[in-house]
Amino acid sequence: MALPYTHHYDLSFSALNLKKFDSSHLQPICCLRCNSSVSSSPFTEKQSLQRYQRDQWVYNNNNQQWPSLSCGDEAASCSVPADSDSIRLNDITLQLPELRKLLQVLKHKRESCGGQVPKNGLGDVFLVGTGPGDPDLLTLKAVKVIQKADLLLYDRLVSNAVLDLVGPDARLLYVGKTAGYHSRTQEEIHELLLSFAEAGATVVRLKGGDPLVFGRGGEEMDFLQQQGIQVKVIPGITAASGISAELGIPLTHRGIANSVRFLTGHSRKGGTDPLFVAENAADPDSTLVVYMGLSTLPSLAQKLIHHGLPPDTPATAVERGTTPQQRMVFAELKDLADKIKTAELVSPTLIIIGKVVALSPFWPQSLTEASRLVEV
């Protein structure tokens, strides 16, 4: 059943919700201070210098003076005011002139193409999964679509190596989200997709992993289809598959794990205890994969053990899996949260819990444990 969306957000860019924001206090991007102490990341971290340079076209109207990368780190983050809502509104306001201009260019392109555009004049929207980070894991279809796009809206967890594949004439726009900072609300993303599709553009929505696995791709697809926009989904290798393969962990294995379950560590309303499914998930014959679960792992581990999962169940946590910056820790379930804290793993980190983890060549007792499991 379709969700009851209402078209309340006019992204002809004349009705952005900026009434409470005083544009006289706009901060130019060149005022942001580069912080070279931030470690290199394969992804687009919030307020990173790399993000602003990649999206430079959308700030051109403001005659920005772009700082160089001499601060020592291409992925360095920039110091910004603590009010994340003001940052977001400031960013959107700076982008508006060029977004309006691009809309007009694309509309003119559509009108001048004659019969080369669909009869209804609408463009296509592609929801493209880019996998866990390694560009070699992209599908051929994804690469083709990425290279022919007019506009690409990309998330935080689309790796820099994937973004390097974008065609020279395409425009990139960051719409990523991280804890405490959403560069665009979900409703604003919907309307951006709709506005440019209505202008006849080929719009690509780039998402890390698979767009329909904890990626909110279903919401975007449903919204656009209700507005008459054709949406095509190009699947990506979800983190569970890509990272488990990287570590040599079979998510299922005859006689050891007869099923696999994907969980999100986030609750819809926030908080530290979204894991109401722990009772059903505590199955020693299943593999449990937790996305976005760093902050809630201590609670999850306790609940799983309380509901019958053995405390010595093998488990692993993998930060930035499949990228050159990959880091991982292995431990029994009861010790995993402490190991993660000691290693100071950061988001994105995937957690895999189950007996199959002991089959990995990286498991400390891999040969002995694997032999014992197979015998059992």
Side-chain angles (χ1 to χ4, degrees), residues 241-260:
S241 296
I243 293 173
S244 63
E246 183 82 6
L247 271 59
I249 299 173
L251 293 176
T252 61
H253 191 93
R254 189 174 63 171
I256 299 176
N258 54 27
S259 64
V260 59

Side-chain angles (χ1 to χ4, degrees), residues 168-189:
D169 298 325
R171 293 289 185 264
L172 282 157
L173 182 64
Y174 178 71
V175 294
K177 302 171 185 174
T178 188
Y181 177 74
H182 290 186
S183 64
R184 299 277 179 169
T185 66
Q186 192 61 42
E187 291 74 19
E188 289 166 354
I189 293 172

Side-chain angles (χ1 to χ4, degrees), residues 97-322:
E98 288 300 319
L99 287 172
R100 289 195 190 102
K101 188 184 300 183
L102 180 61
L103 264 182
Q104 294 304 315
V105 168
L106 292 171
K107 286 178 180 178
H108 177 73
K109 176 182 175 182
R110 176 191 64 188
E111 293 164 359
S112 64
C113 284
Q116 297 180 28
V117 297
K119 292 181 180 179
N120 60 9
L122 301 176
D124 289 327
V125 174
F126 294 87
L127 304 184
V128 178
T130 63
D134 182 353
D136 289 341
L137 296 179
L138 279 172
T139 65
L140 291 174
K141 191 171 186 179
V143 173
K144 291 177 183 177
V145 168
I146 287 172
Q147 292 179 339
K148 74 174 186 179
D150 295 310
L151 176 69
L152 301 98
L153 307 183
Y154 65 100
D155 279 346
R156 175 199 167 208
L157 297 183
V158 177
S159 70
N160 298 322
V162 169
L163 293 173
D164 288 341
L165 300 173
V166 171
D169 298 325
R171 293 289 185 264
L172 282 157
L173 182 64
Y174 178 71
V175 294
K177 302 171 185 174
T178 188
Y181 177 74
H182 290 186
S183 64
R184 299 277 179 169
T185 66
Q186 192 61 42
E187 291 74 19
E188 289 166 354
I189 293 172
H190 288 173
E191 296 293 345
L192 279 166
L193 292 168
L194 176 62
S195 294
F196 281 95
E198 288 179 335
T202 298
V203 187
V204 171
R205 179 74 172 95
L206 289 178
K207 294 175 174 287
D210 183 274
L212 302 183
V213 178
F214 301 129
R216 304 191 72 170
E219 297 173 42
E220 295 170 4
M221 180 168 56
D222 190 42
F223 171 81
L224 291 167
Q225 288 174 340
Q226 289 192 44
Q227 311 303 323
I229 303 297
Q230 183 177 7
V231 181
K232 300 176 182 177
V233 180
I234 299 177
I237 294 178
T238 189
S241 296
I243 293 173
S244 63
E246 183 82 6
L247 271 59
I249 299 173
L251 293 176
T252 61
H253 191 93
R254 189 174 63 171
I256 299 176
N258 54 27
S259 64
V260 59
R261 184 168 190 160
F262 296 168
L263 289 181
T264 171
H266 282 175
S267 65
R268 189 170 184 176
K269 296 182 180 180
T272 60
D273 190 22
L275 306 159
F276 52 86
V277 296
E279 182 176 359
N280 296 324
D283 178 3
D285 295 321
S286 182
T287 304
L288 188 62
V289 183
V290 185
Y291 292 70
M292 302 169 287
L294 272 181
S295 62
T296 53
L297 176 64
S299 173
L300 173 62
Q302 290 177 5
K303 285 180 177 262
L304 290 172
I305 293 171
H306 174 74
H307 289 296
L309 200 62
D312 62 352
T313 299
T316 184
V318 188
E319 172 193 297
R320 299 168 175 172
T322 78

